[in-house]
Amino acid sequence: MYAGTRSGARGIGRSVAVFVVALVAVGGSRAFADDSVNTGYFGGVAIMGYDPVAYFTEGKAVKGSEEFSHEWLGTPWLFANAKHREMFISEPIKYAPQYGGYCAGEVALGSVTINVDPEAFKIIEGKLYLIYDKGSAEGFAAHVAEAAPKADRNWPKVAADLERDQYH
């Protein structure tokens, strides 16, 4: 009996080790600890079809095209051109919005807002934050020193709630 329990414990230990290695291999990014990507209520694509790279290269929200799409984390992402698509493919964590593209301000409060305004964004310290509306984006940026750490702490629970469909 003891040998069976011991063998089972080793199996569990191996399973945990495999899970940890897989998690690290996936990227270990705080914003993408799971596969939660905001596609809005009816969009079916990340960031409502806006190009995540354009926020960095052009400093504004630019609609992507289905011609330049790429699937990442089980979700289609659209880009304005082939160069942006290639940039994203080579460094998706660099360009993807924090917190799966959900409103960063709402995640800081421990919840989500599904429909963000793709034009309400801030890039702070090289990270893209999407927000519910432009006024809230200004408020988030003004208080980012408090808001971002709160959102970082809340994201794992919010992502788990999203996975259990707690917000629909």
Side-chain angles (χ1 to χ4, degrees), residues 128-155:
L128 173 60
Y129 296 92
L130 298 178
I131 315 289
Y132 176 73
D133 63 28
K134 290 180 181 180
S136 297
E138 295 303 321
F140 181 84
H143 298 96
V144 73
E146 300 113 32
K150 284 182 183 176
D152 290 348
R153 284 190 304 272
N154 290 339
W155 177 240

Tab-separated table of all heavy atoms in Angstrom, residues 128-155:
chain	number	residue	atom	x	y	z
A	128	LEU	N	1.685	48.082	-23.592
A	128	LEU	CA	0.419	48.587	-24.118
A	128	LEU	C	-0.707	48.269	-23.152
A	128	LEU	O	-0.927	47.111	-22.791
A	128	LEU	CB	0.130	47.944	-25.480
A	128	LEU	CG	-1.226	48.231	-26.109
A	128	LEU	CD1	-1.427	49.729	-26.361
A	128	LEU	CD2	-1.372	47.434	-27.399
A	129	TYR	N	-1.417	49.320	-22.735
A	129	TYR	CA	-2.587	49.173	-21.868
A	129	TYR	C	-3.803	49.677	-22.634
A	129	TYR	O	-3.808	50.814	-23.122
A	129	TYR	CB	-2.427	50.008	-20.591
A	129	TYR	CG	-1.288	49.574	-19.708
A	129	TYR	CD1	-0.026	50.134	-19.840
A	129	TYR	CD2	-1.483	48.592	-18.738
A	129	TYR	CE1	1.025	49.740	-19.020
A	129	TYR	CE2	-0.438	48.194	-17.911
A	129	TYR	CZ	0.813	48.769	-18.061
A	129	TYR	OH	1.852	48.378	-17.249
A	130	LEU	N	-4.822	48.842	-22.742
A	130	LEU	CA	-6.094	49.253	-23.336
A	130	LEU	C	-7.045	49.603	-22.207
A	130	LEU	O	-7.042	48.972	-21.153
A	130	LEU	CB	-6.683	48.138	-24.199
A	130	LEU	CG	-5.832	47.728	-25.401
A	130	LEU	CD1	-6.485	46.581	-26.147
A	130	LEU	CD2	-5.603	48.901	-26.332
A	131	ILE	N	-7.882	50.610	-22.462
A	131	ILE	CA	-8.761	51.136	-21.427
A	131	ILE	C	-10.177	51.274	-22.001
A	131	ILE	O	-10.360	51.332	-23.207
A	131	ILE	CB	-8.260	52.522	-20.927
A	131	ILE	CG1	-6.739	52.518	-20.677
A	131	ILE	CG2	-9.025	52.983	-19.709
A	131	ILE	CD1	-6.252	51.739	-19.496
A	132	TYR	N	-11.146	51.385	-21.129
A	132	TYR	CA	-12.552	51.473	-21.511
A	132	TYR	C	-12.854	52.700	-22.382
A	132	TYR	O	-13.530	52.608	-23.385
A	132	TYR	CB	-13.426	51.493	-20.251
A	132	TYR	CG	-14.879	51.682	-20.530
A	132	TYR	CD1	-15.624	50.643	-21.087
A	132	TYR	CD2	-15.515	52.885	-20.269
A	132	TYR	CE1	-16.963	50.797	-21.369
A	132	TYR	CE2	-16.862	53.046	-20.544
A	132	TYR	CZ	-17.571	51.997	-21.089
A	132	TYR	OH	-18.902	52.165	-21.370
A	133	ASP	N	-12.351	53.867	-21.983
A	133	ASP	CA	-12.567	55.084	-22.773
A	133	ASP	C	-11.382	56.029	-22.584
A	133	ASP	O	-10.532	55.812	-21.736
A	133	ASP	CB	-13.898	55.768	-22.433
A	133	ASP	CG	-13.999	56.254	-20.994
A	133	ASP	OD1	-12.964	56.570	-20.369
A	133	ASP	OD2	-15.116	56.319	-20.478
A	134	LYS	N	-11.324	57.075	-23.401
A	134	LYS	CA	-10.160	57.970	-23.395
A	134	LYS	C	-9.981	58.700	-22.069
A	134	LYS	O	-8.856	58.892	-21.615
A	134	LYS	CB	-10.246	58.950	-24.561
A	134	LYS	CG	-10.042	58.259	-25.896
A	134	LYS	CD	-10.136	59.226	-27.059
A	134	LYS	CE	-9.949	58.466	-28.369
A	134	LYS	NZ	-10.036	59.319	-29.532
A	135	GLY	N	-11.058	59.106	-21.430
A	135	GLY	CA	-10.954	59.773	-20.127
A	135	GLY	C	-10.352	58.854	-19.076
A	135	GLY	O	-9.501	59.259	-18.283
A	136	SER	N	-10.792	57.613	-19.084
A	136	SER	CA	-10.252	56.637	-18.138
A	136	SER	C	-8.794	56.326	-18.441
A	136	SER	O	-8.010	56.037	-17.532
A	136	SER	CB	-11.074	55.348	-18.182
A	136	SER	OG	-12.399	55.604	-17.761
A	137	ALA	N	-8.405	56.387	-19.713
A	137	ALA	CA	-7.008	56.160	-20.086
A	137	ALA	C	-6.116	57.225	-19.456
A	137	ALA	O	-5.025	56.925	-18.961
A	137	ALA	CB	-6.845	56.140	-21.605
A	138	GLU	N	-6.590	58.467	-19.465
A	138	GLU	CA	-5.820	59.546	-18.839
A	138	GLU	C	-5.709	59.318	-17.335
A	138	GLU	O	-4.647	59.509	-16.746
A	138	GLU	CB	-6.464	60.908	-19.133
A	138	GLU	CG	-6.448	61.297	-20.601
A	138	GLU	CD	-5.047	61.326	-21.209
A	138	GLU	OE1	-4.088	61.758	-20.538
A	138	GLU	OE2	-4.910	60.903	-22.378
A	139	GLY	N	-6.802	58.896	-16.718
A	139	GLY	CA	-6.791	58.616	-15.281
A	139	GLY	C	-5.860	57.465	-14.936
A	139	GLY	O	-5.122	57.523	-13.947
A	140	PHE	N	-5.876	56.411	-15.749
A	140	PHE	CA	-4.994	55.275	-15.511
A	140	PHE	C	-3.540	55.731	-15.602
A	140	PHE	O	-2.725	55.403	-14.737
A	140	PHE	CB	-5.264	54.151	-16.513
A	140	PHE	CG	-4.410	52.936	-16.306
A	140	PHE	CD1	-4.772	51.966	-15.386
A	140	PHE	CD2	-3.230	52.763	-17.020
A	140	PHE	CE1	-3.975	50.845	-15.183
A	140	PHE	CE2	-2.425	51.645	-16.823
A	140	PHE	CZ	-2.810	50.687	-15.900
A	141	ALA	N	-3.210	56.482	-16.639
A	141	ALA	CA	-1.834	56.952	-16.826
A	141	ALA	C	-1.393	57.846	-15.671
A	141	ALA	O	-0.249	57.763	-15.216
A	141	ALA	CB	-1.696	57.681	-18.158
A	142	ALA	N	-2.290	58.688	-15.176
A	142	ALA	CA	-1.954	59.599	-14.081
A	142	ALA	C	-1.685	58.840	-12.779
A	142	ALA	O	-0.966	59.334	-11.916
A	142	ALA	CB	-3.078	60.619	-13.885
A	143	HIS	N	-2.265	57.666	-12.638
A	143	HIS	CA	-2.119	56.884	-11.407
A	143	HIS	C	-1.487	55.519	-11.658
A	143	HIS	O	-1.706	54.574	-10.910
A	143	HIS	CB	-3.490	56.720	-10.745
A	143	HIS	CG	-4.099	58.015	-10.355
A	143	HIS	ND1	-5.001	58.682	-11.150
A	143	HIS	CD2	-3.890	58.789	-9.266
A	143	HIS	CE1	-5.338	59.810	-10.565
A	143	HIS	NE2	-4.684	59.915	-9.432
A	144	VAL	N	-0.701	55.399	-12.726
A	144	VAL	CA	-0.142	54.106	-13.117
A	144	VAL	C	0.736	53.487	-12.027
A	144	VAL	O	0.782	52.266	-11.895
A	144	VAL	CB	0.609	54.199	-14.462
A	144	VAL	CG1	1.940	54.933	-14.319
A	144	VAL	CG2	0.792	52.824	-15.072
A	145	ALA	N	1.400	54.295	-11.225
A	145	ALA	CA	2.265	53.751	-10.177
A	145	ALA	C	1.470	52.924	-9.167
A	145	ALA	O	1.995	51.970	-8.588
A	145	ALA	CB	3.017	54.872	-9.458
A	146	GLU	N	0.199	53.264	-8.959
A	146	GLU	CA	-0.657	52.475	-8.075
A	146	GLU	C	-1.495	51.472	-8.860
A	146	GLU	O	-1.696	50.340	-8.433
A	146	GLU	CB	-1.618	53.387	-7.288
A	146	GLU	CG	-0.948	54.424	-6.403
A	146	GLU	CD	-1.215	55.840	-6.909
A	146	GLU	OE1	-2.281	56.084	-7.472
A	146	GLU	OE2	-0.332	56.688	-6.734
A	147	ALA	N	-2.003	51.895	-10.021
A	147	ALA	CA	-2.953	51.066	-10.774
A	147	ALA	C	-2.309	49.829	-11.391
A	147	ALA	O	-2.882	48.733	-11.327
A	147	ALA	CB	-3.634	51.902	-11.859
A	148	ALA	N	-1.137	49.966	-11.995
A	148	ALA	CA	-0.512	48.818	-12.666
A	148	ALA	C	-0.157	47.698	-11.683
A	148	ALA	O	-0.466	46.534	-11.965
A	148	ALA	CB	0.705	49.262	-13.479
A	149	PRO	N	0.446	47.994	-10.530
A	149	PRO	CA	0.709	46.896	-9.582
A	149	PRO	C	-0.573	46.213	-9.082
A	149	PRO	O	-0.595	45.000	-8.891
A	149	PRO	CB	1.457	47.569	-8.432
A	149	PRO	CG	2.083	48.785	-9.041
A	149	PRO	CD	1.093	49.235	-10.088
A	150	LYS	N	-1.637	46.993	-8.890
A	150	LYS	CA	-2.916	46.389	-8.487
A	150	LYS	C	-3.433	45.470	-9.585
A	150	LYS	O	-3.898	44.359	-9.308
A	150	LYS	CB	-3.962	47.471	-8.191
A	150	LYS	CG	-3.778	48.161	-6.882
A	150	LYS	CD	-4.893	49.177	-6.668
A	150	LYS	CE	-4.690	49.944	-5.391
A	150	LYS	NZ	-5.707	50.988	-5.210
A	151	ALA	N	-3.363	45.934	-10.821
A	151	ALA	CA	-3.815	45.114	-11.950
A	151	ALA	C	-2.962	43.855	-12.067
A	151	ALA	O	-3.491	42.765	-12.315
A	151	ALA	CB	-3.790	45.919	-13.241
A	152	ASP	N	-1.648	43.990	-11.877
A	152	ASP	CA	-0.757	42.829	-11.926
A	152	ASP	C	-1.173	41.792	-10.881
A	152	ASP	O	-1.200	40.591	-11.161
A	152	ASP	CB	0.696	43.234	-11.659
A	152	ASP	CG	1.315	44.035	-12.789
A	152	ASP	OD1	0.731	44.101	-13.889
A	152	ASP	OD2	2.395	44.610	-12.554
A	153	ARG	N	-1.477	42.258	-9.676
A	153	ARG	CA	-1.890	41.339	-8.603
A	153	ARG	C	-3.251	40.716	-8.903
A	153	ARG	O	-3.483	39.551	-8.600
A	153	ARG	CB	-1.939	42.064	-7.265
A	153	ARG	CG	-0.585	42.313	-6.647
A	153	ARG	CD	-0.683	42.808	-5.211
A	153	ARG	NE	-1.481	44.002	-5.044
A	153	ARG	CZ	-1.034	45.248	-5.151
A	153	ARG	NH1	0.238	45.467	-5.442
A	153	ARG	NH2	-1.840	46.276	-4.969
A	154	ASN	N	-4.168	41.498	-9.462
A	154	ASN	CA	-5.530	41.019	-9.706
A	154	ASN	C	-5.662	40.133	-10.939
A	154	ASN	O	-6.598	39.342	-11.035
A	154	ASN	CB	-6.496	42.206	-9.854
A	154	ASN	CG	-6.724	42.927	-8.553
A	154	ASN	OD1	-6.506	42.387	-7.476
A	154	ASN	ND2	-7.171	44.170	-8.647
A	155	TRP	N	-4.765	40.283	-11.912
A	155	TRP	CA	-4.921	39.591	-13.183
A	155	TRP	C	-5.066	38.071	-13.059
A	155	TRP	O	-5.942	37.489	-13.707
A	155	TRP	CB	-3.811	39.960	-14.154
A	155	TRP	CG	-3.918	39.208	-15.446
A	155	TRP	CD1	-2.987	38.364	-15.980
A	155	TRP	CD2	-5.015	39.207	-16.372
A	155	TRP	NE1	-3.443	37.845	-17.174
A	155	TRP	CE2	-4.690	38.347	-17.426
A	155	TRP	CE3	-6.255	39.847	-16.391
A	155	TRP	CZ2	-5.535	38.098	-18.497
A	155	TRP	CZ3	-7.112	39.607	-17.469
A	155	TRP	CH2	-6.745	38.750	-18.508
